[in-house]
Amino acid sequence: MKAYVIRVEFEDSNPLIWRKVIMPADATFKRLNEVIQAVTNFNQNNVTLEGHLYEFQLIEENKIVTNNEEVYEEHQYYKKNRKFFDNRLKTIDPDMLEFEQRYQDRLKKEIRKPSGLKIDAYLEKDEYIDYFYDYGDNWRIKVKLEETVEDYYFGYPTLLDGAETAPLEDVGGMTRFYEFLEGYHNPSHPNHHELYIWANSQRFKEYDLKHINSMLKFIAYKKTEWSQIKHENYDVIEDKYRK
């Protein structure tokens, strides 16, 4: 089946934190969010934990795809009341005009829900998508299209490669994450024990390709074509993408 090989990169990470993933085409932005969550240390896929807001920015299309219901409803209100907003620009205090113009420019951006829009056309046309997660920690992630293939037969994504351990939830941003790693890996650090306990509560894991692939199997949105895969009782013996 048709599939995309994508590269997920954390901006501001040094050394670069990245993942190379293949995923079946025809995925929604909600699915793409789930894949990013699964190949990192974020926990939004865990229904027992409260997830953060996220958005995909489609700059060329002046469009944002987000799970932020407040922003979605605000855009819907703007669309239904454009005459009101146009009139406000004409009558507003001149000292507030620039602020109001910037506010309305933001409202003009089309807002879509992640479950109602598929990634294919945008990924193939632009070859990248900007992903933002947790406005507090402000994680910025670049999703790049590396290749489109037609010989992937699994109905779920597969992690092909990657490097470096990914940040965990609520750590406070990239600088604080590196400070966390320093204490977490150093038994003599004064906060080592507390950091270890907290990391376990956040389900923190070092980078582990095998473990991540065991989790990705639960993000199945296509039917696996087992007739095209060399397997024994559904245990994969040999495959180009999934060992």
Side-chain angles (χ1 to χ4, degrees):
M1 68 181 77
K2 183 178 179 179
Y4 301 121
V5 179
I6 61 172
R7 184 178 171 97
V8 177
E9 297 180 353
F10 276 81
E11 294 188 12
D12 301 323
S13 61
N14 185 21
L16 184 67
I17 302 167
W18 62 276
R19 305 287 185 262
K20 184 176 181 179
V21 184
I22 184 168
M23 57 185 296
D26 206 33
T28 62
F29 280 90
K30 182 176 184 294
R31 290 294 189 194
L32 179 55
N33 170 67
E34 292 172 354
V35 172
I36 296 171
Q37 295 278 320
V39 301
T40 63
N41 267 312
F42 297 146
N43 286 323
Q44 194 175 63
N45 291 349
N46 183 353
V47 296
T48 65
L49 297 174
E50 184 179 355
H52 294 286
L53 297 175
Y54 66 85
E55 66 180 49
F56 295 94
Q57 291 191 358
L58 307 173
I59 298 173
E60 297 297 325
E61 290 77 15
N62 199 33
K63 185 179 298 184
I64 292 175
V65 185
T66 180
N67 65 338
N68 190 332
E69 287 288 339
E70 182 178 337
V71 170
Y72 176 80
E73 292 299 333
E74 193 175 32
H75 175 65
Q76 295 303 307
Y77 181 80
Y78 170 78
K79 289 199 303 182
K80 295 175 183 177
N81 298 276
R82 287 189 177 181
K83 289 184 178 180
F84 165 77
F85 284 98
D86 289 343
N87 185 61
R88 196 157 79 173
L89 282 175
K90 298 175 183 176
T91 59
I92 197 168
D93 187 313
D95 292 339
M96 295 296 295
L97 181 59
E98 184 179 351
F99 173 82
E100 179 67 20
Q101 187 65 65
R102 289 200 304 267
Y103 172 64
Q104 292 198 29
D105 286 344
R106 181 176 65 82
L107 291 178
K108 289 176 183 177
K109 289 187 177 181
E110 183 181 357
I111 307 297
R112 297 291 301 272
K113 293 184 177 182
S115 58
L117 190 65
K118 294 186 177 180
I119 68 173
D120 301 53
Y122 305 98
L123 194 60
E124 292 183 21
K125 174 180 174 290
D126 300 332
E127 298 186 337
Y128 77 93
I129 297 172
D130 289 321
Y131 174 78
F132 297 84
Y133 177 68
D134 182 357
Y135 301 153
D137 284 4
N138 192 30
W139 300 114
R140 294 177 295 161
I141 295 173
K142 184 80 71 176
V143 180
K144 302 177 181 179
L145 176 64
E146 289 199 343
E147 188 180 3
T148 302
V149 301
E150 300 284 349
D151 59 350
Y152 184 71
Y153 302 113
F154 295 93
Y156 45 82
T158 295
L159 178 63
L160 302 175
D161 200 359
E164 305 300 327
T165 295
L168 67 169
E169 293 276 7
D170 300 325
V171 74
M174 192 62 73
T175 300
R176 295 290 298 273
F177 172 57
Y178 287 127
E179 292 173 355
F180 157 80
L181 286 179
E182 183 179 351
Y184 180 82
H185 288 143
N186 182 5
S188 63
H189 191 281
N191 297 325
H192 172 75
H193 182 66
E194 290 79 4
L195 289 172
Y196 186 84
I197 293 174
W198 177 72
N200 283 341
S201 73
Q202 296 287 59
R203 303 193 177 188
F204 172 71
K205 288 186 178 295
E206 303 280 2
Y207 174 59
D208 183 340
L209 186 145
K210 185 176 181 180
H211 170 75
I212 291 172
N213 275 329
S214 70
M215 303 304 295
L216 285 173
K217 292 174 71 174
F218 293 101
I219 307 178
Y221 53 95
K222 290 286 189 177
K223 185 177 181 180
T224 297
E225 299 176 9
W226 287 106
S227 62
Q228 303 291 332
I229 301 167
K230 188 175 182 180
H231 69 95
E232 184 174 338
N233 294 324
Y234 303 106
D235 286 332
V236 177
I237 298 173
E238 183 181 353
D239 183 77
K240 180 179 179 179
Y241 298 105
R242 194 172 184 103
K243 295 179 172 55

